[in-house]
Amino acid sequence: MITFGPVSSRRLGKSLGINNISHPKVCSYNCIYCQVGKTIRLTATPETFFEPEIIFNEVKNHLTHLGPENFLDYMTFVANGEPTLDINLGQTIRLLKKLEIPIAIITNGSLLSDKSVRKDVQLADWVSVKVDSPDQHTWNLLNRPYTGLSFDRHIEGILLFASEYKGFLCTETMILKGVNDDTGMFSKLAGIIEKLHPQKAYLSIPTRPPSVQSVEMPDINKVNEVCRIFSEKQIRTEPLIGFEGTDIGYTGNIYDDLLNIIAVHPLREDALRILLYQDKADFSCIESLIRQKIINVVRYNGEKYYIRQYSDQI
Ligand code: SF4
C-alpha cells in the first residue's frame, strides 16, 4: 500500500504517489477539510513506518508495471497523514534518487522547526508547504494541530526552511467559507507567504469530500479577492479549483491500484470507471469491496466519490 498512480496532478504533471505513512492515518494535524478522513493518531513525534529499502523496492517494482505512456514527471510523498512524521524520510529519498526521477513532498510544515526534518525535506526537488491559517486561533479551528505544537514555532520553522531551501518551493492555502475567507485573513496570509518567497502560491478549495461535513466552499469572488491581495504583494498565485481529470496510471491489478490511491485520494466515479476499464475489471469488485466495508461511497457536490473505509475510523 505504498505506491499508487501515477495520477495527473495540476501542479506536478504525472506524479507517482508514495504513501510512506501506514494506515491508520497518522498526522500532526486533523484539518477539518482533510480528504482522507479524520486523523486516527495525532502526533508530532517522527517514528518508523517502513524501512527505506521496503519503500524503494515497492517503487521500483511499481515502475516495472507501468507502460511507456506513464512517463513520470515526479515521485511525490503524499501520505495518508504527514510524510515528515517518517523518521526515515531522508534515507528513503537518498535511495529513491537512484531512480533519477525528481522527488516532491507535500507537507503541512508543522515539523519544519526541527532541524533534522528540514534537512530531510531539503533533499526533495519540489516542496509544497501548507499555509492555511495566519494566526493561532484559525490554526486551532481549521488545522486542529497536535496539542504540543506551537503556532509561533511552526511559522519560524517554515520561514527557516524557506530561507535554506534551494529547490522549487510552493505554498498551498485552502480557503474555507466562514473560516479563513475574509479580507483581514487574506492580508495576514499574504504577509506570511510573502516572507517565504515561494515560486508559486497555490490556492485551493475543498473539491473532494471533507472530513467535517459542515465545511463549505468559499464564493468564487473570495478566491478572486485573495488572488488580488496576494498579487499586490508580488506573490505568483494560482488557484487550483478545477477537477484534475481522470487520467490515472494502472498496473493491471485493480485491487492494488484502487486501494493504494484511495488511501490518500478519494476517487470520483468517472475516474474509477476508467481505472476499472484500464485494469480490465468490472464493477463487481467494487461492490465486493463495499460489502466487505473496505471502501465506502460518499456524495459531495453532486458527485459520487469512493473512499477508503477503516474499521478504526474515529
Ligand atoms: S489535510 Fe494533510 S495535514 Fe491536514 S489532516 Fe489531512 S493529511 Fe493531515
Side-chain angles (χ1 to χ4, degrees):
M1 299 288 174
I2 292 172
T3 55
F4 62 92
V7 293
S8 291
S9 158
R10 291 169 291 199
R11 294 170 290 177
L12 293 163
K14 273 214 167 173
S15 157
L16 181 84
I18 301 174
N19 180 2
N20 59 330
I21 303 291
S22 55
H23 120 81
K25 180 185 162 201
V26 184
C27 195
S28 48
Y29 283 0
N30 186 15
C31 302
I32 57 174
Y33 62 82
C34 185
Q35 62 177 17
V36 288
K38 291 174 185 171
T39 298
I40 307 291
R41 196 148 59 80
L42 196 59
T43 177
T45 308
E47 59 188 273
T48 296
F49 294 95
F50 298 101
E51 293 302 326
E53 291 74 19
I54 291 182
I55 296 183
F56 176 71
N57 288 333
E58 275 240 9
V59 171
K60 222 168 94 176
N61 184 42
H62 191 100
L63 294 178
T64 63
H65 289 96
L66 298 178
E69 72 282 8
N70 280 319
F71 181 82
L72 297 182
D73 296 302
Y74 279 94
M75 298 188 290
T76 307
F77 284 85
V78 51
N80 65 333
E82 169 52 33
T84 63
L85 280 171
D86 176 2
I87 205 163
N88 295 318
L89 180 65
Q91 221 184 319
T92 306
I93 295 175
R94 280 190 199 89
L95 276 179
L96 289 170
K97 279 187 176 264
K98 292 184 190 168
L99 300 172
E100 298 185 343
I101 299 168
I103 292 174
I105 299 180
I106 296 178
T107 173
N108 66 22
S110 63
L111 305 185
L112 289 173
S113 54
D114 179 331
K115 191 175 175 189
S116 62
V117 173
R118 286 200 304 279
K119 241 174 106 192
D120 288 349
V121 178
Q122 277 162 9
L123 296 170
D125 303 282
W126 186 103
V127 174
S128 169
V129 177
K130 184 186 294 302
V131 187
D132 301 327
S133 306
D135 54 48
Q136 176 91 50
H137 176 75
T138 315
W139 198 49
N140 291 341
L141 198 74
L142 194 162
N143 302 113
R144 302 189 297 182
Y146 174 72
T147 42
L149 290 171
S150 132
F151 179 74
D152 292 341
R153 245 173 85 74
H154 156 57
I155 296 296
E156 277 166 27
I158 58 175
L159 287 169
L160 207 49
F161 174 75
S163 68
E164 296 163 349
Y165 182 54
K166 303 278 180 269
F168 189 99
L169 177 67
C170 54
T171 58
E172 182 165 350
T173 302
M174 176 68 82
I175 309 293
L176 303 180
K177 184 173 187 171
V179 182
N180 64 346
D181 69 340
D182 66 52
T183 310
M185 290 270 181
F186 294 157
S187 300
K188 286 202 264 176
L189 281 166
I192 294 171
I193 292 172
E194 152 185 60
K195 289 190 202 140
L196 298 173
H197 303 292
Q199 270 93 335
K200 196 65 95 62
Y202 290 103
L203 302 171
S204 45
I205 59 174
T207 53
R208 299 201 192 94
S211 151
V212 172
Q213 277 185 359
S214 56
V215 162
E216 285 184 73
M217 288 202 192
D219 296 334
I220 192 68
N221 59 358
K222 294 285 187 179
V223 178
N224 293 336
E225 184 185 2
V226 68
C227 282
R228 180 183 54 75
I229 291 174
F230 279 27
S231 300
E232 281 169 7
K233 297 261 189 201
Q234 316 302 324
I235 301 169
R236 288 181 59 207
T237 309
E238 186 178 326
L240 300 171
I241 55 178
F243 179 53
E244 298 99 324
T246 54
D247 187 12
I248 298 170
Y250 55 96
T251 64
N253 182 330
I254 185 63
Y255 292 103
D256 279 357
D257 288 343
L258 179 67
L259 295 180
N260 290 352
I261 190 168
I262 66 172
V264 301
H265 188 107
L267 212 51
R268 216 169 80 172
E269 182 157 89
D270 47 357
L272 172 80
R273 288 195 180 272
I274 290 173
L275 187 62
L276 283 169
Y277 174 76
Q278 288 170 324
D279 274 338
K280 299 186 177 37
D282 63 41
F283 209 78
S284 62
C285 55
I286 304 301
E287 288 162 349
S288 157
L289 290 169
I290 294 171
R291 271 198 308 279
Q292 295 174 68
K293 298 191 187 324
I294 293 172
I295 67 173
N296 197 5
V297 191
V298 292
R299 283 195 174 273
Y300 183 65
N301 280 332
E303 301 282 352
K304 259 188 193 174
Y305 287 85
Y306 292 78
I307 61 170
R308 187 77 163 86
Q309 188 174 355
Y310 295 115
S311 53
D312 41 8
Q313 195 97 35
I314 54 174

